[in-house]
Amino acid sequence: MESRLDQEAIRILKANDRGGFTIPTARLYPYQWNWDSAFAALGFAEFDRDRAWREIETLFEAQWPDGMLPHIVFRQNDPDYFPGPAIWQSNTEPPSSGHSQPPVTASVVLRMVQGGDASDLERARPLFAKMLAFHRWYHEMRDPDGTGLVGIVHPWESGRDNCPDWDIGMDRIAVPDDLGPYQRRDTEHIDPAERPSTAQYDRYLTIIKFGRECGWDHVEMARNGPFFMGDPGVQFILMRADRDLLRLAELLGETAAQEQIGRWLERASAGCQLLWNPEVNAFCARDLRTGEFSDGITSASMLAFYAGAGTDEQRAAMAVHAARILDQVAFGFPSFDPAHPRFEAKRYWRGPVWAIINFLIVDGLNEAGETQLAERIRDDTRRLVETAGFFEYFDPQSGEGIGGSDFTWTAAVHLVWGS
Ligand code: 9WN
C-alpha cells in the first residue's frame, strides 16, 4: 500500500522528469545533475524500472571522450540557472560543465542489479565500460601522482559546495581583475542567507575561468589550477564505487577489468590515510597544494563506514564523533560539526541536513554494525520529511525545510527507504 508520502514522492519524480532525464527541482536547478540523477534512478527503480535505467543511460550520453562524467548536462539553455553553458564552454555535445561530481553511479547500478532480475543485469552490461572509464578518469586525472588520494578541482566537484571544508583552499584563490561582472540567479530563488556568499561565487567563477582558458585540460587543472583539495566525500564514495564496480565485473563476467579495479581499491585504501587529521582524530578535508588540513568534521567524514575505510581504531573514533554530534542537534546528520565556530544551521553545506548524505551514511553504519546510530539518522530523516516535506536540505535544530522544494533526491531517498 502506498502512503500519502509515497504518492507525493512519486508525483515529484514524475513532475521533475524532463523526458529521459530528471532535474533536481524546477527553476533553481533546471538541468540534469550527475549525482542527483543517480539518486533519481534509485527512486524511479521503486516504481518504473525502465525509467530508472533511462536516467543512467541519458547521464552517460554526456560522458566526455576522456571518461569524465560531467557534473551538469545542459540539454537546453535555461536563464533560470547561472552559470550556464556559455560560461563553461565545454565544447561537447551535449554541452556540459567542465568537472565532475561524487561518482555514485556504479553503486546505484549495482543496487539496481541486485534488486532486479536478469533483464536488469543485461541493462547494466553496456554501461560497464563507461563506468570503468569514469573511474579510470578519477584515478588518473584527479590523482596524477598516484598517491591513492583523489583531489577535487572545484568545491562543486564535491557536491558540498560551500562547506567549511573548502575554506582554506578558497582563501588561497586570487580573484582576477578581469573576472567581469556576472548575475547570480540562485539568490533570486532562495534567501541569500541560506546560499554561498558573493566572495565564494567569485572564487567558483575564477576556477571556471582557469578551466575554460586551459580548454579543460584536467592534468593542468590538477597540477596548476587555483584549487586542489582532498575530499573525504569523493574519496570514500569512489572507494565504495570501486568495490561495487568490482562486484558488477564479477556478475557480468568482465574478468579483464577486475585486476585493475582491485589495484585502484588497494591504492585508495592506503591513500585515504592522507585524510586522517591526527589533531582532530578524524578524517578531514586537506589542501593538496599546501598539505594543510581542514579542522572540521563533516557529514562526509562519516562516509568512512560506507567505504570501509581506515583502521578499526579510526572507525571507532568516528563512531564516537558521530554520537557526540547527533547529541548536539535535534535532527542528524548535520553537514558540519555544530561544535565548530564555522557551523551555520541554515547556510547550505555549512550545517544543514541532506537526505542523500544520510542515506549513504546509514548504509555504511549498518554495514559496520553501528545499527543504533544508523537507525537514529534514518528516523531523523523520516521525521524531517514527514513534518517539513521534500525539501533540498533541513535545519538540524528546528527541522525547517530549506532550499528548493519538491526535490528529486529527497523524494528518491524516501521511496528507497519506504515509509
Ligand atoms: C552546483 C543540484 C546540485 C547538487 C549539489 C548542490 C547544488 C549546485 C549549485 O545543487 O550545487 O553544482 O548551483 O548550488 O550543492 O550537491 O548536485 O541539486
Side-chain angles (χ1 to χ4, degrees), residues 177-236:
D177 295 337
D178 62 348
L179 187 63
Y182 61 90
Q183 176 81 39
R184 281 174 71 171
R185 299 305 315 271
D186 58 316
T187 42
E188 292 170 25
H189 304 302
I190 303 290
D191 182 348
E194 293 159 9
R195 291 287 306 177
S197 66
T198 306
Q200 281 163 342
Y201 259 76
D202 285 349
R203 284 161 181 78
Y204 296 156
L205 291 165
T206 300
I207 304 172
I208 296 177
K209 181 174 187 291
F210 183 94
R212 204 171 51 221
E213 286 172 359
C214 72
W216 296 107
D217 172 340
H218 287 291
V219 174
E220 178 65 9
M221 294 287 293
R223 293 219 185 274
N224 301 313
F227 181 95
F228 196 50
M229 286 193 71
D231 170 15
V234 164
Q235 176 76 12
F236 292 151

Side-chain angles (χ1 to χ4, degrees), residues 190 194 345-347 352 391-395 400-405:
I190 303 290
E194 293 159 9
K346 289 194 196 308
R347 203 186 275 275
F391 274 88
E392 184 181 5
Y393 45 98
F394 304 87
D395 181 327
E400 184 192 340
I402 335 175
S405 58

Side-chain angles (χ1 to χ4, degrees), residues 24-25 28-29 33-36 71-72 81-83 99 101-102 156 158-162 186 195-196 201 348-349 354 356 392 407 409:
T25 188
L28 181 62
Y29 304 125
W33 258 262
N34 181 329
W35 69 332
D36 297 67
H71 104 291
I72 310 177
Y81 185 80
F82 176 86
H99 59 68
Q101 246 189 342
W156 286 343
S158 72
R160 301 180 299 119
D161 312 357
N162 66 337
D186 58 316
R195 291 287 306 177
Y201 259 76
Y348 212 37
W349 289 96
W354 295 71
I356 32 103
E392 184 181 5
F407 216 84
W409 64 20

Side-chain angles (χ1 to χ4, degrees), residues 331-335 345 348 351-355 358 381 384 392-396:
F331 300 90
F333 201 90
S335 42
Y348 212 37
V353 178
W354 295 71
N358 281 4
T381 319
L384 284 168
E392 184 181 5
Y393 45 98
F394 304 87
D395 181 327

